PDB file of all heavy atoms in Angstrom:
ATOM      1  N   PRO A1348      92.636  71.987  76.834  1.00  0.00           N
ATOM      2  CA  PRO A1348      93.166  70.858  76.022  1.00  0.00           C
ATOM      3  C   PRO A1348      93.250  71.205  74.553  1.00  0.00           C
ATOM      4  O   PRO A1348      94.087  70.656  73.820  1.00  0.00           O
ATOM      5  CB  PRO A1348      92.139  69.748  76.280  1.00  0.00           C
ATOM      6  CG  PRO A1348      91.572  70.069  77.622  1.00  0.00           C
ATOM      7  CD  PRO A1348      91.531  71.558  77.700  1.00  0.00           C
ATOM      8  N   VAL A1359      93.840  87.986  91.335  1.00  0.00           N
ATOM      9  CA  VAL A1359      94.179  89.415  91.471  1.00  0.00           C
ATOM     10  C   VAL A1359      95.488  89.535  92.243  1.00  0.00           C
ATOM     11  O   VAL A1359      95.826  88.674  93.064  1.00  0.00           O
ATOM     12  CB  VAL A1359      93.061  90.198  92.203  1.00  0.00           C
ATOM     13  CG1 VAL A1359      91.806  90.279  91.367  1.00  0.00           C
ATOM     14  CG2 VAL A1359      92.753  89.582  93.555  1.00  0.00           C
ATOM     15  N   LYS A1365     102.148  92.436  97.844  1.00  0.00           N
ATOM     16  CA  LYS A1365     102.975  91.702  96.890  1.00  0.00           C
ATOM     17  C   LYS A1365     102.620  90.211  96.893  1.00  0.00           C
ATOM     18  O   LYS A1365     103.490  89.329  96.986  1.00  0.00           O
ATOM     19  CB  LYS A1365     104.461  91.905  97.198  1.00  0.00           C
ATOM     20  CG  LYS A1365     104.895  93.359  97.074  1.00  0.00           C
ATOM     21  CD  LYS A1365     106.389  93.494  97.215  1.00  0.00           C
ATOM     22  CE  LYS A1365     106.906  94.887  97.026  1.00  0.00           C
ATOM     23  NZ  LYS A1365     105.994  95.947  96.739  1.00  0.00           N
ATOM     24  N   THR A1382      94.518  78.755 110.088  1.00  0.00           N
ATOM     25  CA  THR A1382      95.477  77.672 109.821  1.00  0.00           C
ATOM     26  C   THR A1382      95.039  76.786 108.659  1.00  0.00           C
ATOM     27  O   THR A1382      95.864  76.147 107.997  1.00  0.00           O
ATOM     28  CB  THR A1382      95.658  76.796 111.078  1.00  0.00           C
ATOM     29  OG1 THR A1382      94.381  76.268 111.478  1.00  0.00           O
ATOM     30  CG2 THR A1382      96.237  77.629 112.224  1.00  0.00           C
ATOM     31  N   TRP A1395     107.976  79.988  93.673  1.00  0.00           N
ATOM     32  CA  TRP A1395     108.560  78.753  93.142  1.00  0.00           C
ATOM     33  C   TRP A1395     107.557  77.586  93.120  1.00  0.00           C
ATOM     34  O   TRP A1395     107.780  76.590  92.456  1.00  0.00           O
ATOM     35  CB  TRP A1395     109.806  78.369  93.969  1.00  0.00           C
ATOM     36  CG  TRP A1395     109.505  78.116  95.424  1.00  0.00           C
ATOM     37  CD1 TRP A1395     109.219  76.933  96.005  1.00  0.00           C
ATOM     38  CD2 TRP A1395     109.449  79.094  96.458  1.00  0.00           C
ATOM     39  NE1 TRP A1395     108.987  77.076  97.336  1.00  0.00           N
ATOM     40  CE2 TRP A1395     109.137  78.414  97.655  1.00  0.00           C
ATOM     41  CE3 TRP A1395     109.666  80.466  96.508  1.00  0.00           C
ATOM     42  CZ2 TRP A1395     109.010  79.065  98.874  1.00  0.00           C
ATOM     43  CZ3 TRP A1395     109.555  81.101  97.714  1.00  0.00           C
ATOM     44  CH2 TRP A1395     109.209  80.427  98.883  1.00  0.00           C
ATOM     45  N   PRO A1399     102.233  74.362  90.218  1.00  0.00           N
ATOM     46  CA  PRO A1399     101.204  73.372  90.612  1.00  0.00           C
ATOM     47  C   PRO A1399     100.093  73.964  91.479  1.00  0.00           C
ATOM     48  O   PRO A1399      98.943  73.535  91.412  1.00  0.00           O
ATOM     49  CB  PRO A1399     102.004  72.333  91.397  1.00  0.00           C
ATOM     50  CG  PRO A1399     103.161  73.080  91.947  1.00  0.00           C
ATOM     51  CD  PRO A1399     103.490  74.154  90.966  1.00  0.00           C
ATOM     52  N   LEU A1414      83.381  80.349  93.080  1.00  0.00           N
ATOM     53  CA  LEU A1414      83.296  80.906  91.730  1.00  0.00           C
ATOM     54  C   LEU A1414      81.847  80.943  91.250  1.00  0.00           C
ATOM     55  O   LEU A1414      81.402  81.918  90.636  1.00  0.00           O
ATOM     56  CB  LEU A1414      84.158  80.069  90.777  1.00  0.00           C
ATOM     57  CG  LEU A1414      84.215  80.564  89.323  1.00  0.00           C
ATOM     58  CD1 LEU A1414      84.890  81.939  89.237  1.00  0.00           C
ATOM     59  CD2 LEU A1414      84.944  79.549  88.439  1.00  0.00           C
ATOM     60  N   ALA A1432      67.760  94.649  96.369  1.00  0.00           N
ATOM     61  CA  ALA A1432      67.173  95.505  95.334  1.00  0.00           C
ATOM     62  C   ALA A1432      65.771  95.950  95.729  1.00  0.00           C
ATOM     63  O   ALA A1432      65.383  97.100  95.531  1.00  0.00           O
ATOM     64  CB  ALA A1432      67.129  94.764  93.999  1.00  0.00           C
ATOM     65  N   PHE A1458      52.874 130.464  98.340  1.00  0.00           N
ATOM     66  CA  PHE A1458      51.535 130.948  98.001  1.00  0.00           C
ATOM     67  C   PHE A1458      50.968 131.815  99.122  1.00  0.00           C
ATOM     68  O   PHE A1458      50.433 132.897  98.875  1.00  0.00           O
ATOM     69  CB  PHE A1458      50.617 129.753  97.739  1.00  0.00           C
ATOM     70  CG  PHE A1458      49.167 130.138  97.566  1.00  0.00           C
ATOM     71  CD1 PHE A1458      48.724 130.693  96.374  1.00  0.00           C
ATOM     72  CD2 PHE A1458      48.269 129.967  98.593  1.00  0.00           C
ATOM     73  CE1 PHE A1458      47.404 131.059  96.211  1.00  0.00           C
ATOM     74  CE2 PHE A1458      46.938 130.325  98.447  1.00  0.00           C
ATOM     75  CZ  PHE A1458      46.509 130.873  97.251  1.00  0.00           C
ATOM     76  N   GLY A1468      45.674 128.195 109.531  1.00  0.00           N
ATOM     77  CA  GLY A1468      44.283 128.459 109.170  1.00  0.00           C
ATOM     78  C   GLY A1468      44.142 128.906 107.728  1.00  0.00           C
ATOM     79  O   GLY A1468      44.982 129.620 107.193  1.00  0.00           O
ATOM     80  N   VAL A1474      32.990 130.345  98.525  1.00  0.00           N
ATOM     81  CA  VAL A1474      32.575 131.695  98.938  1.00  0.00           C
ATOM     82  C   VAL A1474      33.762 132.547  99.379  1.00  0.00           C
ATOM     83  O   VAL A1474      33.588 133.708  99.727  1.00  0.00           O
ATOM     84  CB  VAL A1474      31.548 131.612 100.087  1.00  0.00           C
ATOM     85  CG1 VAL A1474      30.285 130.921  99.635  1.00  0.00           C
ATOM     86  CG2 VAL A1474      32.149 130.919 101.308  1.00  0.00           C
ATOM     87  N   GLN A1484      48.545 145.277  92.304  1.00  0.00           N
ATOM     88  CA  GLN A1484      48.199 146.663  92.016  1.00  0.00           C
ATOM     89  C   GLN A1484      47.133 147.191  92.966  1.00  0.00           C
ATOM     90  O   GLN A1484      47.150 148.358  93.352  1.00  0.00           O
ATOM     91  CB  GLN A1484      47.712 146.792  90.562  1.00  0.00           C
ATOM     92  CG  GLN A1484      47.699 148.220  90.022  1.00  0.00           C
ATOM     93  CD  GLN A1484      49.084 148.863  90.056  1.00  0.00           C
ATOM     94  OE1 GLN A1484      50.100 148.191  89.852  1.00  0.00           O
ATOM     95  NE2 GLN A1484      49.131 150.146  90.343  1.00  0.00           N
ATOM     96  N   PRO A1502      64.549 138.280  93.809  1.00  0.00           N
ATOM     97  CA  PRO A1502      65.772 137.484  93.632  1.00  0.00           C
ATOM     98  C   PRO A1502      66.990 138.402  93.560  1.00  0.00           C
ATOM     99  O   PRO A1502      67.015 139.364  92.784  1.00  0.00           O
ATOM    100  CB  PRO A1502      65.541 136.761  92.297  1.00  0.00           C
ATOM    101  CG  PRO A1502      64.545 137.606  91.577  1.00  0.00           C
ATOM    102  CD  PRO A1502      63.682 138.255  92.612  1.00  0.00           C
ATOM    103  N   PRO A1556      66.396 161.384 101.393  1.00  0.00           N
ATOM    104  CA  PRO A1556      66.885 161.556 102.772  1.00  0.00           C
ATOM    105  C   PRO A1556      65.797 161.401 103.821  1.00  0.00           C
ATOM    106  O   PRO A1556      66.098 161.240 105.011  1.00  0.00           O
ATOM    107  CB  PRO A1556      67.429 162.994 102.774  1.00  0.00           C
ATOM    108  CG  PRO A1556      67.674 163.321 101.338  1.00  0.00           C
ATOM    109  CD  PRO A1556      66.626 162.593 100.573  1.00  0.00           C
ATOM    110  N   GLU A1558      63.782 158.974 104.191  1.00  0.00           N
ATOM    111  CA  GLU A1558      63.531 157.572 104.537  1.00  0.00           C
ATOM    112  C   GLU A1558      64.286 157.213 105.816  1.00  0.00           C
ATOM    113  O   GLU A1558      65.441 156.814 105.792  1.00  0.00           O
ATOM    114  CB  GLU A1558      63.954 156.650 103.397  1.00  0.00           C
ATOM    115  CG  GLU A1558      63.093 156.797 102.157  1.00  0.00           C
ATOM    116  CD  GLU A1558      63.344 155.683 101.160  1.00  0.00           C
ATOM    117  OE1 GLU A1558      63.266 154.513 101.567  1.00  0.00           O
ATOM    118  OE2 GLU A1558      63.615 155.976  99.991  1.00  0.00           O
ATOM    119  N   SER A1578      78.699 137.615 126.799  1.00  0.00           N
ATOM    120  CA  SER A1578      79.828 138.356 127.370  1.00  0.00           C
ATOM    121  C   SER A1578      80.179 137.897 128.779  1.00  0.00           C
ATOM    122  O   SER A1578      81.165 138.348 129.353  1.00  0.00           O
ATOM    123  CB  SER A1578      79.501 139.862 127.392  1.00  0.00           C
ATOM    124  OG  SER A1578      78.342 140.100 128.170  1.00  0.00           O
ATOM    125  N   LEU A1589      71.713 124.080 130.340  1.00  0.00           N
ATOM    126  CA  LEU A1589      70.295 124.037 129.967  1.00  0.00           C
ATOM    127  C   LEU A1589      70.103 123.222 128.691  1.00  0.00           C
ATOM    128  O   LEU A1589      69.179 122.405 128.588  1.00  0.00           O
ATOM    129  CB  LEU A1589      69.786 125.461 129.767  1.00  0.00           C
ATOM    130  CG  LEU A1589      68.285 125.707 129.950  1.00  0.00           C
ATOM    131  CD1 LEU A1589      67.891 125.495 131.395  1.00  0.00           C
ATOM    132  CD2 LEU A1589      67.929 127.114 129.524  1.00  0.00           C
ATOM    133  N   SER A1591      72.126 120.906 127.645  1.00  0.00           N
ATOM    134  CA  SER A1591      72.489 119.515 127.926  1.00  0.00           C
ATOM    135  C   SER A1591      71.327 118.744 128.556  1.00  0.00           C
ATOM    136  O   SER A1591      71.238 117.524 128.410  1.00  0.00           O
ATOM    137  CB  SER A1591      73.718 119.452 128.838  1.00  0.00           C
ATOM    138  OG  SER A1591      73.406 119.907 130.143  1.00  0.00           O
ATOM    139  N   HIS A1601      63.352 106.113 126.037  1.00  0.00           N
ATOM    140  CA  HIS A1601      63.136 105.696 127.431  1.00  0.00           C
ATOM    141  C   HIS A1601      63.311 106.881 128.379  1.00  0.00           C
ATOM    142  O   HIS A1601      62.485 107.108 129.272  1.00  0.00           O
ATOM    143  CB  HIS A1601      64.113 104.584 127.797  1.00  0.00           C
ATOM    144  CG  HIS A1601      64.103 104.239 129.259  1.00  0.00           C
ATOM    145  ND1 HIS A1601      62.986 103.710 129.882  1.00  0.00           N
ATOM    146  CD2 HIS A1601      65.060 104.376 130.223  1.00  0.00           C
ATOM    147  CE1 HIS A1601      63.251 103.527 131.175  1.00  0.00           C
ATOM    148  NE2 HIS A1601      64.510 103.922 131.392  1.00  0.00           N
ATOM    149  N   ARG A1621      65.418 133.048 117.801  1.00  0.00           N
ATOM    150  CA  ARG A1621      64.207 133.552 118.458  1.00  0.00           C
ATOM    151  C   ARG A1621      64.401 133.372 119.963  1.00  0.00           C
ATOM    152  O   ARG A1621      64.332 132.286 120.487  1.00  0.00           O
ATOM    153  CB  ARG A1621      62.990 132.766 117.948  1.00  0.00           C
ATOM    154  CG  ARG A1621      61.663 133.306 118.414  1.00  0.00           C
ATOM    155  CD  ARG A1621      60.544 132.594 117.659  1.00  0.00           C
ATOM    156  NE  ARG A1621      60.641 131.155 117.801  1.00  0.00           N
ATOM    157  CZ  ARG A1621      60.091 130.482 118.822  1.00  0.00           C
ATOM    158  NH1 ARG A1621      59.417 131.110 119.745  1.00  0.00           N
ATOM    159  NH2 ARG A1621      60.210 129.174 118.883  1.00  0.00           N
ATOM    160  N   HIS A1626      63.105 131.415 126.737  1.00  0.00           N
ATOM    161  CA  HIS A1626      62.106 131.428 127.813  1.00  0.00           C
ATOM    162  C   HIS A1626      61.399 130.080 127.886  1.00  0.00           C
ATOM    163  O   HIS A1626      61.167 129.538 128.971  1.00  0.00           O
ATOM    164  CB  HIS A1626      61.091 132.547 127.563  1.00  0.00           C
ATOM    165  CG  HIS A1626      59.890 132.470 128.453  1.00  0.00           C
ATOM    166  ND1 HIS A1626      58.701 131.878 128.055  1.00  0.00           N
ATOM    167  CD2 HIS A1626      59.692 132.881 129.728  1.00  0.00           C
ATOM    168  CE1 HIS A1626      57.840 131.942 129.051  1.00  0.00           C
ATOM    169  NE2 HIS A1626      58.400 132.542 130.072  1.00  0.00           N
ATOM    170  N   MET A1663      73.146 115.520 136.951  1.00  0.00           N
ATOM    171  CA  MET A1663      72.703 115.817 138.310  1.00  0.00           C
ATOM    172  C   MET A1663      73.667 116.793 138.992  1.00  0.00           C
ATOM    173  O   MET A1663      73.248 117.756 139.652  1.00  0.00           O
ATOM    174  CB  MET A1663      72.606 114.525 139.116  1.00  0.00           C
ATOM    175  CG  MET A1663      72.168 114.730 140.559  1.00  0.00           C
ATOM    176  SD  MET A1663      70.456 115.273 140.679  1.00  0.00           S
ATOM    177  CE  MET A1663      69.634 113.701 140.448  1.00  0.00           C
ATOM    178  N   PHE A1669      75.253 125.476 142.542  1.00  0.00           N
ATOM    179  CA  PHE A1669      74.742 126.740 143.102  1.00  0.00           C
ATOM    180  C   PHE A1669      74.611 127.815 142.025  1.00  0.00           C
ATOM    181  O   PHE A1669      73.603 128.545 141.963  1.00  0.00           O
ATOM    182  CB  PHE A1669      75.670 127.229 144.221  1.00  0.00           C
ATOM    183  CG  PHE A1669      75.236 128.535 144.835  1.00  0.00           C
ATOM    184  CD1 PHE A1669      74.146 128.591 145.685  1.00  0.00           C
ATOM    185  CD2 PHE A1669      75.928 129.709 144.545  1.00  0.00           C
ATOM    186  CE1 PHE A1669      73.743 129.802 146.241  1.00  0.00           C
ATOM    187  CE2 PHE A1669      75.539 130.917 145.094  1.00  0.00           C
ATOM    188  CZ  PHE A1669      74.439 130.961 145.950  1.00  0.00           C
ATOM    189  N   LEU A1672      71.516 127.239 139.818  1.00  0.00           N
ATOM    190  CA  LEU A1672      70.260 127.588 140.490  1.00  0.00           C
ATOM    191  C   LEU A1672      70.055 129.094 140.554  1.00  0.00           C
ATOM    192  O   LEU A1672      68.944 129.590 140.351  1.00  0.00           O
ATOM    193  CB  LEU A1672      70.241 126.985 141.898  1.00  0.00           C
ATOM    194  CG  LEU A1672      70.232 125.452 141.970  1.00  0.00           C
ATOM    195  CD1 LEU A1672      70.378 124.978 143.400  1.00  0.00           C
ATOM    196  CD2 LEU A1672      68.959 124.901 141.360  1.00  0.00           C
ATOM    197  N   CYS A1673      71.135 129.833 140.820  1.00  0.00           N
ATOM    198  CA  CYS A1673      71.035 131.303 140.867  1.00  0.00           C
ATOM    199  C   CYS A1673      70.657 131.877 139.505  1.00  0.00           C
ATOM    200  O   CYS A1673      69.761 132.717 139.396  1.00  0.00           O
ATOM    201  CB  CYS A1673      72.358 131.903 141.340  1.00  0.00           C
ATOM    202  SG  CYS A1673      72.721 131.588 143.081  1.00  0.00           S
ATOM    203  N   LEU A1677      67.434 134.043 137.981  1.00  0.00           N
ATOM    204  CA  LEU A1677      67.677 135.339 137.329  1.00  0.00           C
ATOM    205  C   LEU A1677      67.145 135.350 135.909  1.00  0.00           C
ATOM    206  O   LEU A1677      66.361 136.230 135.511  1.00  0.00           O
ATOM    207  CB  LEU A1677      69.185 135.625 137.337  1.00  0.00           C
ATOM    208  CG  LEU A1677      69.634 136.850 136.509  1.00  0.00           C
ATOM    209  CD1 LEU A1677      69.128 138.127 137.156  1.00  0.00           C
ATOM    210  CD2 LEU A1677      71.154 136.873 136.372  1.00  0.00           C
ATOM    211  N   ILE A1694      52.104 141.897 117.536  1.00  0.00           N
ATOM    212  CA  ILE A1694      50.668 142.176 117.477  1.00  0.00           C
ATOM    213  C   ILE A1694      50.365 143.018 116.237  1.00  0.00           C
ATOM    214  O   ILE A1694      51.079 143.978 115.917  1.00  0.00           O
ATOM    215  CB  ILE A1694      50.211 142.923 118.750  1.00  0.00           C
ATOM    216  CG1 ILE A1694      50.405 142.032 119.992  1.00  0.00           C
ATOM    217  CG2 ILE A1694      48.742 143.349 118.631  1.00  0.00           C
ATOM    218  CD1 ILE A1694      50.106 142.732 121.286  1.00  0.00           C
ATOM    219  N   GLY A1696      49.014 145.815 114.011  1.00  0.00           N
ATOM    220  CA  GLY A1696      48.680 147.214 114.287  1.00  0.00           C
ATOM    221  C   GLY A1696      49.454 147.805 115.454  1.00  0.00           C
ATOM    222  O   GLY A1696      49.028 148.796 116.049  1.00  0.00           O
ATOM    223  N   GLU A1709      52.011 146.960 132.512  1.00  0.00           N
ATOM    224  CA  GLU A1709      52.959 145.980 133.045  1.00  0.00           C
ATOM    225  C   GLU A1709      53.564 146.470 134.351  1.00  0.00           C
ATOM    226  O   GLU A1709      53.721 145.711 135.312  1.00  0.00           O
ATOM    227  CB  GLU A1709      54.065 145.719 132.011  1.00  0.00           C
ATOM    228  CG  GLU A1709      55.057 144.637 132.406  1.00  0.00           C
ATOM    229  CD  GLU A1709      54.425 143.260 132.454  1.00  0.00           C
ATOM    230  OE1 GLU A1709      53.404 143.039 131.780  1.00  0.00           O
ATOM    231  OE2 GLU A1709      54.959 142.409 133.195  1.00  0.00           O
TER     232      GLU A1709
END
Side-chain angles (χ1 to χ4, degrees):
V1359 292
K1365 298 187 177 0
T1382 58
W1395 61 93
L1414 182 65
F1458 172 77
V1474 297
Q1484 197 59 35
E1558 292 192 53
S1578 60
L1589 205 67
S1591 69
H1601 171 64
R1621 187 171 55 87
H1626 169 263
M1663 179 68 79
F1669 179 74
L1672 295 173
C1673 290
L1677 171 68
I1694 296 175
E1709 184 67 24

